Amino acid sequence: EEQLVESGGGLVQPGGSLRLSCTASGFTIGSYFMSWVRLAPGKGLEWVSGISGSGGSTYYEDSVEGRFTISRDNSKNTLYLQMNSLRAEDTAIYYCAKNNIVVVSAQDHSCMDVWGTGTAVTVSS
Amino acid sequence: DIQMTQSPSSLSASVGDRVTITCRASQIISSYLNWYQQKPGKPPKLLIYAASTLQSGVPSRFSGSGSGTDFTLTISSLQPEDFATYYCQQSYFHSRTFGQGTKVEIK
């Protein structure tokens, strides 16, 4: 069974840092694009960041660009999100997700088919 | 940046009702559109990918349609376990933007 387990969340003061981890089992993360997605209190899902299977390409939502860094250690089958200069508006449940590629009508389509249970990040003084 | 707009933001419906949720992309995304269901305290669950393909294990009362910029998620006969928040998400661009969500509540 394919599973993802996040860790590293917690309470941090504004301006502080946290590193989230996401460990996979049942599949090799190096074969997939991986994403971080968050759900803030009273808000909807927000895609935060993504990384290619090789780790050579990274992508960020505008509000976290320059503050967050996504990375992966394929030897540990683990995805990371380094979060610096944290703000109150970064308070959320953070999920990691596997982006599967499915072929439909000869086109490659990406969808997030495996999700972790999430780790809570609270930014408050 | 691409924007995904869902409507309505919330709706009240009864068991057995037919429910339709729409999603509009600010740019053409062909059929690169996925739908997810999320219940409180749980991670999102993939329902439909490539606009209209049902994920394995998802009941056939769920269906998706659309292409270009306008998409629809339909639940043909609402069941008690379907009360949840539904999100569309584009996969055309690397930034996998979500819609703001549609909360389906019990009437």
Side-chain angles (χ1 to χ4, degrees):
Chain A
E1 182 188 4
E2 298 181 339
Q3 288 188 325
L4 293 165
V5 178
E6 302 93 339
S7 60
L11 174 63
V12 62
Q13 292 187 337
S17 298
L18 277 178
R19 188 177 84 153
L20 307 184
S21 301
C22 168
T23 301
S25 59
F27 71 98
T28 302
I29 67 166
S31 299
Y32 298 95
F33 188 99
M34 298 292 293
S35 290
W36 286 99
V37 176
R38 66 186 178 186
L39 181 67
K43 301 287 184 66
L45 293 173
E46 181 179 43
W47 178 85
V48 173
S49 182
I51 186 168
S52 62
S54 66
S57 298
T58 58
Y59 308 89
Y60 299 93
E61 193 268 330
D62 288 348
S63 70
V64 309
E65 179 92 52
R67 299 188 298 123
F68 290 10
T69 302
I70 190 171
S71 62
R72 62 198 304 159
D73 185 337
N74 290 343
S75 67
K76 295 183 178 179
N77 220 23
T78 298
L79 176 72
Y80 302 100
L81 186 67
Q82 177 67 43
M83 305 187 295
N84 299 331
S85 302
L86 282 161
R87 306 167 180 168
E89 54 264 36
D90 296 318
T91 295
I93 305 291
Y94 284 74
Y95 300 98
C96 60
K98 166 181 162 263
N99 291 235
N100 195 23
I101 298 293
V102 286
V103 179
V104 178
S105 302
Q107 292 179 325
D108 287 349
H109 287 262
S110 175
C111 56
M112 299 180 199
D113 67 341
V114 179
W115 294 73
T117 55
T119 186
V121 172
T122 302
V123 184
S124 175
S125 55
Chain B
D1 293 347
I2 188 169
Q3 307 297 322
M4 306 298 294
T5 304
Q6 287 181 233
S7 61
S9 297
S10 64
L11 65 91
S12 296
S14 301
V15 172
D17 284 353
R18 181 182 182 88
V19 169
T20 299
I21 298 168
T22 63
C23 176
R24 174 165 289 177
S26 61
Q27 302 176 47
I28 293 173
I29 57 170
S30 184
S31 60
Y32 292 87
L33 191 283
N34 306 317
W35 289 97
Y36 300 85
Q37 176 195 65
Q38 187 173 31
K39 297 179 180 179
K42 299 291 187 181
K45 173 186 175 183
L46 176 65
L47 296 177
I48 288 169
Y49 58 89
S52 61
T53 304
L54 207 61
Q55 171 71 342
S56 176
V58 174
S60 60
R61 62 181 179 273
F62 291 93
S63 64
S65 65
S67 184
T69 60
D70 294 317
F71 303 88
T72 299
L73 172 69
T74 299
I75 309 172
S76 60
S77 178
L78 198 65
Q79 298 302 299
E81 59 268 30
D82 300 337
F83 292 95
T85 301
Y86 294 84
Y87 296 91
C88 63
Q89 176 245 329
Q90 64 81 19
S91 60
Y92 188 84
F93 298 99
H94 286 297
S95 59
R96 310 283 204 241
T97 323
F98 288 89
Q100 81 277 19
T102 296
K103 187 174 184 179
V104 177
E105 299 176 298
I106 301 172
K107 192 172 185 179

